[in-house]
Amino acid sequence: MDTALEQVVSPPRPSLRRTVTAYVALTKPRVIELLLVTTAPVMILAQGGLPSIWLVLATLLGGSLAAGSANAFNMVIDRDIDRLMNRTKNRPLVTGELTARQATVFATVIGVGSIVWLWATTNLLAASLAFAAIVFYVVIYTLVLKRRTEQNIIWGGIAGCFPVLIGWSAVTGSLDWAPIILFLVVFLWTPPHYWPLSMRYRDDYAEASVPMLAVVRGRTVVGVQVVLYAWATVAMSLLLIPVAPMGALYTAVAVLAGGWFIVESHRLYGRAARGLDDVSPMKVFHASITYLTLVFVAVGVDPLLPF
């Protein structure tokens, strides 16, 4: 009788597929995709041609594990505010598909694994940079900045710049001005990429008491900042041309895609300044992703061309 009652009352155990899907969700795979877009092209630039395919795959795997670890730790720490936000309420720690302990163990294992893997397959510098990226995202951004200051995404975004350095160092075992410039491109790109998203989900962040710029400042102020950072991003991308040096393809893409990114940013500001109800911030958000993808694809293709 008791056994029959337990079968009725006890919730069904999640399937293996559902559990695996929950663990994958912890890593924020869509974020990792964007990070990988900035890693492989830089490796080609560092090599001046096509590097070993094994080295590329090993670096991408190690970088994915490191980013996944940082993202999983982020979900553990932020599970309280994730419950309050519509955008994040279906994350596995909110729905109960995984426990905080399970997520912490998973994040630790793949984080340590990423560092050991990169050290074994690339070099100590690449492994050290991966470790720094994890620490920066988890400690500096998630624990220190995110809930305390409107500057959170500016400085916290540094963590997302490390894949550029990891990719370059995996090939050369050192760093140079070219990867530093590309690091700064991603650094300057992050605010105009993320602030439009925070405008779209302003009410979510306000409900969770996260002081994103769109929560603590008006839309016009956010629009101005997006414009300024977009211009700075494009200017930094053009600085790579004489430093690397880059050829005609990269130059054309950096100028044309950069001009489009700037125009979309100005349109956002214009709609905000006119006080329109719908300023369409997601247009800039999606444009920023396309812009960064085009620029880094050009970084990888340009060294392979004879001109």
Side-chain angles (χ1 to χ4, degrees):
M1 182 70 173
D2 290 341
T3 302
L5 182 61
E6 288 175 1
Q7 290 176 348
V8 174
V9 175
S10 299
R13 297 182 64 183
S15 65
L16 176 60
R17 180 179 179 181
R18 191 176 180 87
T19 301
V20 171
T21 300
Y23 277 112
V24 172
L26 280 180
T27 67
K28 301 182 185 178
R30 295 186 68 180
V31 174
I32 291 177
E33 288 175 11
L34 195 58
L35 297 179
L36 297 183
V37 165
T38 65
T39 304
V42 172
M43 297 182 73
I44 297 173
L45 181 63
Q47 183 72 37
L50 290 175
S52 160
I53 192 67
W54 159 250
L55 179 63
V56 173
L57 292 176
T59 305
L60 293 181
L61 175 59
S64 297
L65 291 174
S69 171
N71 290 331
F73 276 122
N74 171 267
M75 283 200 192
V76 172
I77 296 166
D78 281 352
R79 64 189 185 278
D80 59 329
I81 60 177
D82 283 347
R83 291 189 178 93
L84 304 174
M85 300 173 62
N86 290 324
R87 188 172 68 90
T88 56
K89 66 183 181 181
N90 291 320
R91 287 179 173 175
L93 291 177
V94 178
T95 61
E97 292 173 280
L98 296 173
T99 66
R101 182 178 181 278
Q102 289 173 316
T104 302
V105 170
F106 174 73
T108 302
V109 169
I110 66 172
V112 172
S114 71
I115 296 164
V116 173
W117 173 259
L118 285 171
W119 194 350
T121 60
T122 61
N123 52 61
L124 178 59
L125 178 57
S128 300
L129 289 168
F131 174 72
I134 295 172
V135 171
F136 203 98
Y137 188 71
V138 175
V139 178
I140 303 300
Y141 172 65
T142 306
L143 288 174
V144 177
L145 296 174
K146 184 173 182 178
R147 307 192 195 199
R148 289 181 171 87
T149 173
E150 65 188 52
Q151 300 289 311
N152 48 19
I153 202 63
I154 297 177
W155 304 109
I158 289 175
C161 308
F162 275 91
V164 171
L165 304 183
I166 294 170
W168 184 280
S169 63
V171 173
T172 66
S174 62
L175 294 176
D176 206 337
W177 281 110
I180 292 174
I181 288 172
L182 289 171
F183 177 99
L184 291 173
V185 168
V186 180
F187 171 73
L188 293 168
W189 166 88
T190 301
H193 163 68
Y194 201 87
W195 280 334
L197 184 70
S198 72
M199 292 176 74
R200 168 66 177 80
Y201 294 101
R202 181 187 180 281
D203 292 342
D204 270 4
Y205 287 113
E207 176 69 22
S209 299
V210 177
M212 291 295 177
L213 187 66
V215 174
V216 299
R217 304 288 181 180
R219 294 185 304 174
T220 304
V221 173
V222 178
V224 169
Q225 292 300 312
V226 168
V227 167
L228 292 176
Y229 273 93
W231 274 98
T233 301
V234 174
M236 186 59 65
S237 73
L238 297 177
L239 186 59
L240 183 67
I241 297 171
V243 171
M246 305 303 292
L249 175 68
Y250 176 84
T251 302
V253 170
V255 170
L256 295 176
W260 172 57
F261 182 34
I262 288 172
V263 167
E264 288 297 333
S265 300
H266 276 274
R267 285 175 177 169
L268 172 65
Y269 167 70
R271 290 189 292 265
R274 291 196 301 272
L276 299 181
D277 291 335
D278 182 11
V279 297
S280 302
M282 296 306 286
K283 288 185 178 180
V284 178
F285 174 77
H286 293 300
S288 69
I289 295 174
T290 303
Y291 162 75
L292 193 73
T293 302
L294 289 173
V295 167
F296 273 87
V297 167
V299 166
V301 174
D302 195 273
L304 304 179
L305 300 178
F307 53 86

